[in-house]
Amino acid sequence: MIVELTDPDDPRLADYRCLTDVDLRTAFEPPHGLFIAEGELVLRRAVRAGYRLRSVLVDSKRTDAVADIAAQTGAPVYAASQQVLQATTGFHVHRGLLASVHRRPLPVVADLLAAAKRLAVLEDVNNHTNVGAIFRCAAGLGIDGVLLSPSCADPLYRRSVRVSMGEVFAIPYARLDDWPAGLKVVRDAGFRVLALTPAADAVDLDGLAADDRAKPALVLGAEGPGLTAGAVAAADRAVKIPMSGGVDSLNVAAAAAVAFWEISRR
């Protein structure tokens, strides 16, 4: 069940080529219905979440770590030296394990809204590290689902998956293609749409009324520019994290952690 490969140009390694080229991977992975999982923990969480493996690529010295996964899933396991791994992927695979995994269809927005009580909505968050960190915060701090504006980064890009420690598999997400007009759909589903912004006239998060906390949809913007005026205008309320020391705002992933904890607090 484990096949040793010695040639980086072996066609069986096509899924793993040039993993550091974001543009190339973005053009390759979603159209082919695939994503790359990195590391044993992430791989096991993908399998546990029901994702179907296409193949596994592992350091020849670490094949024992995936023997049970190979037996459980029937996916081919390719073993190679670190030199072959690096020549194929474009970087030193220090975790020693990669997997090519089949994507699943995204939930319908209406179905996601019907099943959730607390939402995160991301506008133009195009940094994969921030997306992964936000999903990890969402999974750990009481958020039931995530909606993405059309230009948000892919949560299943390798870096996002790795930073989330595989928690992207635990949180359902969907694309809200009509943006920001689609926020009306969120409101019509009974959510209070809360736009997180450092604006002076925004309401402090810890001062939110019970009605705003009952079924919140917290909207977060990209690092730097924050939310667009259209997104803020489409929200029910602008909210902020009280800051001190002359600091105006936090990194979007840090802000998400604070805000998720606060709106989930009973």
Side-chain angles (χ1 to χ4, degrees):
M1 299 180 67
I2 297 176
V3 180
E4 187 79 26
L5 301 181
T6 58
D7 181 3
D9 294 324
D10 192 300
R12 289 170 287 186
L13 296 178
D15 290 358
Y16 303 96
R17 300 200 196 290
C18 305
L19 293 187
T20 58
D21 189 323
V22 176
D23 291 338
L24 182 63
R25 298 307 304 185
T26 301
F28 175 80
E29 291 179 14
H32 287 81
L34 302 172
F35 69 91
I36 298 298
E38 181 179 0
E40 183 181 349
L41 174 63
V42 170
L43 173 59
R44 291 187 181 279
R45 286 183 173 170
V47 172
R48 185 181 66 196
Y51 283 86
R52 184 165 59 92
L53 300 187
R54 177 175 161 95
S55 67
V56 178
L57 177 60
V58 63
D59 186 320
S60 297
K61 299 176 181 178
R62 299 192 58 189
T63 55
D64 288 349
V66 295
D68 63 320
I69 294 176
Q72 175 186 345
T73 66
V77 177
Y78 305 127
S81 67
Q82 269 293 340
Q83 291 77 15
V84 172
L85 294 179
Q86 184 163 346
T88 301
T89 64
F91 70 99
H92 177 70
V93 186
H94 65 276
R95 287 178 174 81
L97 190 152
L98 297 162
S100 178
V101 187
H102 291 279
R103 291 175 182 249
R104 297 192 299 212
L106 293 183
V108 175
V109 170
D111 293 342
L112 189 151
L113 293 174
K117 294 297 183 184
R118 300 185 187 93
L119 286 178
V121 186
L122 308 186
E123 181 187 42
D124 301 343
V125 181
N126 49 29
N127 179 286
H128 292 98
T129 298
N130 283 335
V131 168
I134 291 170
F135 268 80
R136 188 176 183 185
C137 293
L141 296 170
I143 301 301
D144 303 314
V146 178
L147 291 175
L148 308 172
S149 76
S151 61
C152 277
D154 178 14
L156 292 183
Y157 181 70
R158 177 177 59 91
R159 190 178 303 139
S160 297
V161 175
R162 185 185 70 216
V163 170
S164 80
M165 295 297 289
E167 296 299 348
V168 294
F169 310 136
I171 298 291
Y173 69 92
R175 294 273 178 184
L176 199 58
D177 294 326
D178 189 10
W179 186 267
L183 288 173
K184 182 179 184 301
V185 176
V186 181
R187 186 184 300 108
D188 290 346
F191 288 88
R192 292 285 282 177
V193 179
L194 309 174
L196 190 65
T197 168
D201 59 349
V203 176
D204 285 353
L205 266 173
D206 59 357
L208 281 176
D211 287 348
D212 290 325
R213 293 174 177 272
K215 199 174 180 183
L218 188 68
V219 190
L220 300 109
E223 194 77 27
L227 292 176
T228 62
V232 175
D236 293 301
R237 193 179 302 280
V239 297
K240 65 182 178 182
I241 297 171
M243 305 295 293
S244 61
V247 178
D248 66 342
S249 63
L250 301 173
N251 162 274
V252 65
V258 173
F260 294 166
W261 181 86
E262 177 60 36
I263 65 171
S264 299
R265 187 164 58 90
R266 297 186 185 278

